[in-house]
Amino acid sequence: MFKNCLENVRNTVPLVHCITNYVTVNDVANVLLACGGSPIMSDEPEDVTDITSICGGLDINIGTLNKRTIEAMKIAGKQANSLGHPVLLDPVGAGASALRTNTSNDLIRDVKFACIRGNISEIKTVANGSGTTRGVDADVADTVTEDTLDKAVQFVKTLAERLDTIIAVTGAIDLVADKDKCYVIRNGRPEMGKITGTGCQLSAIMTAYLVANPDNRLEAAAAAVALMGAAGEIAYGQLTETEGNATYRNRIIDTIYRMDGETLEKSAKVEIC
Amino acid sequence: MFKNCLENVRNTVPLVHCITNYVTVNDVANVLLACGGSPIMSDEPEDVTDITSICGGLDINIGTLNKRTIEAMKIAGKQANSLGHPVLLDPVGAGASALRTNTSNDLIRDVKFACIRGNISEIKTVANGSGTTRGVDADVADTVTEDTLDKAVQFVKTLAERLDTIIAVTGAIDLVADKDKCYVIRNGRPEMGKITGTGCQLSAIMTAYLVANPDNRLEAAAAAVALMGAAGEIAYGQLTETEGNATYRNRIIDTIYRMDGETLEKSAKVEIC
Amino acid sequence: MFKNCLENVRNTVPLVHCITNYVTVNDVANVLLACGGSPIMSDEPEDVTDITSICGGLDINIGTLNKRTIEAMKIAGKQANSLGHPVLLDPVGAGASALRTNTSNDLIRDVKFACIRGNISEIKTVANGSGTTRGVDADVADTVTEDTLDKAVQFVKTLAERLDTIIAVTGAIDLVADKDKCYVIRNGRPEMGKITGTGCQLSAIMTAYLVANPDNRLEAAAAAVALMGAAGEIAYGQLTETEGNATYRNRIIDTIYRMDGETLEKSAKVEIC
């Protein structure tokens, strides 16, 4: 049950090492605190081995990668693997540049990921090892819709099996799958796309959920996705007519801070395929 | 008309590559989304050629420059030039350090800018190739006032002609000029100076406006300046007596998110010299 | 009097050079503006000598250190020393990694600090030259409580004497001491720990207070600590039942923006030991 997943995070306060982009890093830290986790950011190769060792999990987000941080991602990923910590990959912009695509490929080759989360264009790039996307947003042609849902579910399950990981594709409809089972989640609001970094925030929350629910990782990943979407809906309902994307951002984090297990359970729109 | 400039941004969703400082980058990304554009940040020399190629314009802000990002600015600037994308320079702190002054000079020599925007101290440094300023704020002695306006208008027109670009000087009175024409804009509030990064935000918005209005760049640049100032006025009117600069920041971005062409047209206080 | 310390900041607008982590840097800049100072961020070794020279003080925060910024910290610290500017150290995560502990030790050896501020685990690491902490938060076993207060006061006074600096330990009870005198401050709310970077913000404010009160540095440092705590209490009282840590963050900065000397004086819960 999603309720238990949420409560396990609040009860254990998982410490999450984030190597994440500097655009959305503040929101990532605050949303980790809001959901019941604790963040620590470090991206210097000489620092990350120690830092990831005192944490419970690692969130790697390639949004503003550079050569130094790519090296740090690899070192930290291997160390987290050796300690059995769950590692999540958010391949921001994979398909938009050769460096991002190659870095994503290299990381997947060298590090064992518990979960890979991205928009559909990024996850297709992960699947193909190459791709083209328009910036950091999903290509319209790739969008998961009710019409393409069956095919998309099959795609994520197959990829999850091939990479032996959890694959999460987020968009209007969210998919969270391992090889056998796919959670289809219909929470969220299109206006969340007008806030920078809701995806980055989600990746960090998912990492905390994976750490706090070691025996139940697929469900925990799905619970985190439903949490973000449900918070987006609740917060949207509180916006006044003069408020826009900046306040919406704050209200989503506030809503996650206030969320309890019952509300999450009641709000989640989930189907299992 | 400013209305058309705004609507062209909303209708075409220009993708803007930002190499910008890490202090205000989150607000820059959110304000780009608020105004109808789409941001992508990348500052690794090996990444920027690909990234700028999929964008419509490039915003270079030297606020927290380092050797790696300076190299990225040059590579991205040249690539954007070769593709005919508009490039904007925000020479944050030019005059405050030799590195910033020299980087600004080097960029202007190597990259063709569609627009250069700064406070009066920074733009004087651009004009002279050297200068001294107190930090990142304009020197009081340099401020554009009603008394010095005629001289300031002549200064920006002359500089615009010499550098073959649009020059925007923002402060209590804003000037946006090419060699023939100067928009004098009297929107805005002094309290905007108590928010970090309203200038950085404006530079990003201006880049989006330049991309979306290729046949009308001077007017588009002026429209963006009026938009920021008008949003500052409207948002200020909404502040309660317990609110300060943090909430004011959010309210300005919210106001830009809600702004329509008619409101902008009606709010703009513009004179052409 | 704390009132005078606050007013000296508002009247002189101290310019503070910050080499600080990219997680909380935006809040650091806005809170410096809110308290009456002015921020400038620069962390490139070739830039920091010029930048720190035009400022009144330097805030060094090692939260997301890397080799480049460590070099910049050392260069800037020595330059600020040579100009007689107060320099503050915030040893974020000292004890959590060898690099952070060593960097903290190296900085204390090479740079003369006017103040060192951290949580109790970080300050114990500073005292011992080594340590272990759980991430960036204080270890529970180390917490300063009413039971351990006398011992803790003696510890900070002794350390202040040995390092010839002001030592500030912040937590549920805050201590600000030189060798002779310790301010014990009981302002603040536990919920401030659910906002990322309230400590980073405080370090920047303290630096501004040190700059603006050269003849009264210990009291100024204590005034800044009381300001942050009092703002946390006032802002907490304004939270509605749907608001959480994101809005709380904004409200604290807003409250600092609105704070006057009388309110600070009246709100401060201070005892001198």
Side-chain angles (χ1 to χ4, degrees):
Chain A
M1 278 175 45
F2 286 181
K3 180 174 180 295
N4 296 341
C5 297
L6 179 149
E7 288 167 358
N8 288 338
V9 175
R10 296 231 185 262
N11 293 335
T12 60
V13 193
L15 187 55
V16 177
H17 176 198
C18 301
I19 304 180
T20 191
N21 70 75
Y22 59 81
V23 184
T24 65
V25 62
N26 184 265
D27 291 333
V28 164
N30 273 327
V31 90
L32 268 172
L33 289 162
C35 82
S38 183
I40 182 161
M41 277 63 179
S42 165
D43 63 15
E44 160 60 41
E46 290 199 11
D47 197 47
V48 293
T49 302
D50 285 355
I51 294 297
T52 217
S53 300
I54 59 168
C55 291
L58 171 64
D59 171 31
I60 296 179
N61 173 308
I62 68 169
T64 50
L65 79 185
N66 63 52
K67 286 184 179 175
R68 172 174 58 75
T69 58
I70 293 169
E71 189 191 345
M73 291 170 192
K74 292 178 181 173
I75 293 170
K78 289 175 188 173
Q79 175 70 1
N81 278 171
S82 78
L83 296 166
H85 299 174
V87 187
L88 180 143
L89 175 65
D90 188 337
V92 180
S97 76
L99 183 66
R100 288 165 192 252
T101 304
N102 294 341
T103 299
S104 171
N105 291 343
D106 290 353
L107 286 167
I108 290 168
R109 185 194 61 219
D110 294 348
V111 177
K112 171 79 187 140
F113 288 101
C115 182
I116 303 174
R117 191 212 67 82
N119 64 41
I120 183 66
S121 300
E122 291 158 352
I123 298 300
K124 284 196 171 172
T125 300
V126 165
N128 299 332
S130 65
T132 54
T133 64
R134 183 180 184 274
V136 289
D137 294 317
D139 214 302
V140 176
D142 290 334
T143 311
V144 178
T145 64
E146 299 296 346
D147 285 347
T148 62
L149 184 58
D150 288 351
K151 211 175 138 193
V153 168
Q154 196 46 57
F155 161 72
V156 292
K157 281 184 177 173
T158 303
L159 182 60
E161 179 163 26
R162 174 153 66 87
L163 300 179
D164 186 22
T165 189
I166 295 167
I167 297 289
V169 172
T170 54
I173 302 172
D174 303 316
L175 307 176
V176 184
D178 65 12
K179 67 183 170 58
D180 298 316
K181 195 173 169 180
C182 181
Y183 286 83
V184 177
I185 301 167
R186 291 184 175 81
N187 289 100
R189 294 277 321 175
E191 293 81 1
M192 296 171 80
K194 296 294 176 193
I195 302 168
T196 193
T198 48
C200 307
Q201 290 179 39
L202 175 54
S203 289
I205 296 171
M206 290 176 80
T207 310
Y209 271 63
L210 293 168
V211 174
N213 294 280
D215 303 325
N216 216 9
R217 284 190 177 163
L218 180 65
E219 188 180 30
V225 171
L227 168 64
M228 190 79 203
E233 294 170 17
I234 295 168
Y236 187 81
Q238 296 167 347
L239 289 179
T240 69
E241 63 182 10
T242 61
E243 292 176 346
N245 61 334
T247 296
Y248 189 26
R249 178 261 308 265
N250 292 318
R251 285 194 188 279
I252 291 173
I253 298 174
D254 284 353
T255 303
I256 290 170
Y257 183 87
R258 296 279 182 178
M259 186 75 74
D260 58 47
E262 267 97 57
T263 308
L264 174 58
E265 201 77 50
K266 204 176 58 192
S267 308
K269 299 168 191 159
V270 183
E271 180 190 359
I272 296 176
C273 295
Chain B
M1 280 176 42
F2 286 180
K3 180 173 181 292
N4 295 342
C5 296
L6 179 150
E7 288 168 357
N8 287 339
V9 174
R10 296 232 185 263
N11 292 335
T12 61
V13 194
L15 187 55
V16 177
H17 175 197
C18 301
I19 304 179
T20 192
N21 69 76
Y22 59 81
V23 184
T24 66
V25 60
N26 184 266
D27 292 332
V28 164
N30 273 328
V31 89
L32 269 172
L33 289 161
C35 83
S38 182
I40 183 162
M41 277 63 179
S42 164
D43 63 14
E44 161 59 42
E46 289 200 11
D47 198 45
V48 293
T49 301
D50 285 356
I51 294 298
T52 217
S53 300
I54 60 168
C55 292
L58 172 63
D59 171 31
I60 296 180
N61 173 309
I62 68 168
T64 51
L65 79 185
N66 62 51
K67 285 184 180 175
R68 172 175 57 75
T69 59
I70 293 169
E71 188 190 345
M73 291 170 191
K74 292 178 181 172
I75 293 169
K78 289 174 187 174
Q79 175 70 2
N81 278 171
S82 78
L83 295 166
H85 299 174
V87 187
L88 179 142
L89 175 64
D90 188 336
V92 181
S97 76
L99 183 67
R100 287 165 193 252
T101 304
N102 294 341
T103 299
S104 172
N105 290 342
D106 291 353
L107 286 167
I108 290 169
R109 185 193 62 217
D110 293 349
V111 176
K112 170 79 187 142
F113 288 101
C115 183
I116 302 173
R117 189 213 67 82
N119 64 42
I120 182 67
S121 300
E122 290 158 351
I123 298 299
K124 283 196 172 173
T125 300
V126 165
N128 299 332
S130 66
T132 54
T133 65
R134 183 181 184 276
V136 289
D137 294 318
D139 214 303
V140 176
D142 290 335
T143 310
V144 179
T145 63
E146 298 297 345
D147 285 346
T148 61
L149 184 58
D150 288 351
K151 212 173 137 193
V153 168
Q154 195 48 55
F155 162 71
V156 292
K157 281 185 177 173
T158 303
L159 182 60
E161 178 163 26
R162 173 152 67 87
L163 299 180
D164 188 22
T165 190
I166 295 167
I167 297 290
V169 172
T170 53
I173 302 174
D174 302 316
L175 308 177
V176 184
D178 65 12
K179 67 184 170 58
D180 298 317
K181 197 171 166 180
C182 181
Y183 287 82
V184 177
I185 301 167
R186 291 184 175 81
N187 290 101
R189 293 278 320 175
E191 294 80 3
M192 296 170 79
K194 296 294 176 192
I195 303 168
T196 192
T198 48
C200 307
Q201 290 178 40
L202 175 54
S203 289
I205 296 172
M206 289 177 82
T207 310
Y209 271 64
L210 293 169
V211 174
N213 294 280
D215 302 325
N216 216 10
R217 284 190 176 164
L218 180 65
E219 188 180 30
V225 171
L227 168 64
M228 191 77 203
E233 295 170 17
I234 294 168
Y236 187 81
Q238 295 166 347
L239 289 179
T240 70
E241 62 182 11
T242 61
E243 292 174 347
N245 61 334
T247 296
Y248 189 26
R249 178 260 308 265
N250 291 319
R251 285 195 189 278
I252 291 174
I253 298 174
D254 285 353
T255 304
I256 290 170
Y257 183 86
R258 296 280 183 177
M259 186 74 74
D260 58 47
E262 266 98 56
T263 307
L264 174 58
E265 201 76 52
K266 204 176 57 190
S267 308
K269 298 167 193 161
V270 184
E271 179 191 0
I272 296 176
C273 294
Chain C
M1 280 177 41
F2 286 181
K3 180 174 179 293
N4 296 340
C5 296
L6 178 149
E7 288 168 359
N8 287 338
V9 175
R10 295 231 186 264
N11 292 334
T12 60
V13 194
L15 187 55
V16 177
H17 176 197
C18 301
I19 304 179
T20 192
N21 69 75
Y22 59 81
V23 184
T24 66
V25 61
N26 185 265
D27 292 333
V28 164
N30 273 327
V31 90
L32 269 173
L33 289 161
C35 81
S38 182
I40 183 161
M41 277 64 179
S42 166
D43 63 15
E44 161 59 42
E46 290 200 10
D47 198 45
V48 294
T49 302
D50 285 355
I51 294 297
T52 218
S53 300
I54 59 167
C55 291
L58 171 63
D59 171 30
I60 296 179
N61 173 308
I62 69 169
T64 51
L65 79 186
N66 63 51
K67 286 185 180 174
R68 172 175 56 77
T69 58
I70 292 169
E71 188 191 345
M73 291 170 192
K74 292 178 181 173
I75 293 169
K78 289 176 187 172
Q79 175 70 4
N81 277 171
S82 78
L83 295 166
H85 299 173
V87 187
L88 180 143
L89 175 65
D90 187 337
V92 181
S97 75
L99 183 65
R100 288 164 192 252
T101 304
N102 293 340
T103 298
S104 172
N105 291 342
D106 290 353
L107 287 167
I108 290 169
R109 186 193 61 219
D110 294 347
V111 177
K112 170 79 185 141
F113 288 100
C115 182
I116 302 174
R117 190 212 67 81
N119 63 41
I120 183 66
S121 300
E122 290 157 351
I123 298 299
K124 283 196 171 173
T125 300
V126 164
N128 299 331
S130 66
T132 54
T133 64
R134 184 181 183 272
V136 289
D137 295 316
D139 213 302
V140 175
D142 291 333
T143 311
V144 179
T145 64
E146 298 298 344
D147 285 347
T148 61
L149 184 59
D150 288 350
K151 212 174 136 192
V153 167
Q154 196 47 57
F155 162 71
V156 293
K157 280 185 179 173
T158 304
L159 182 59
E161 178 163 26
R162 173 153 66 86
L163 300 179
D164 187 22
T165 190
I166 295 167
I167 296 290
V169 172
T170 53
I173 302 174
D174 303 316
L175 307 176
V176 183
D178 64 13
K179 66 185 172 58
D180 299 316
K181 194 172 170 180
C182 180
Y183 286 84
V184 178
I185 300 168
R186 290 185 176 80
N187 290 100
R189 294 278 321 175
E191 293 81 2
M192 296 171 81
K194 296 296 177 191
I195 303 169
T196 192
T198 48
C200 307
Q201 291 179 39
L202 175 54
S203 289
I205 296 172
M206 289 176 81
T207 310
Y209 271 63
L210 292 169
V211 175
N213 294 280
D215 302 325
N216 216 9
R217 283 190 177 165
L218 180 65
E219 187 179 32
V225 171
L227 168 65
M228 191 78 203
E233 293 169 19
I234 295 169
Y236 187 80
Q238 296 166 347
L239 289 178
T240 70
E241 63 182 9
T242 61
E243 292 174 346
N245 61 335
T247 296
Y248 190 26
R249 177 258 309 265
N250 292 318
R251 284 193 189 278
I252 291 173
I253 298 175
D254 285 353
T255 303
I256 290 170
Y257 183 87
R258 297 278 183 179
M259 185 74 76
D260 57 48
E262 266 98 56
T263 308
L264 174 57
E265 201 77 50
K266 204 176 57 191
S267 308
K269 298 168 192 159
V270 184
E271 179 191 0
I272 296 176
C273 294

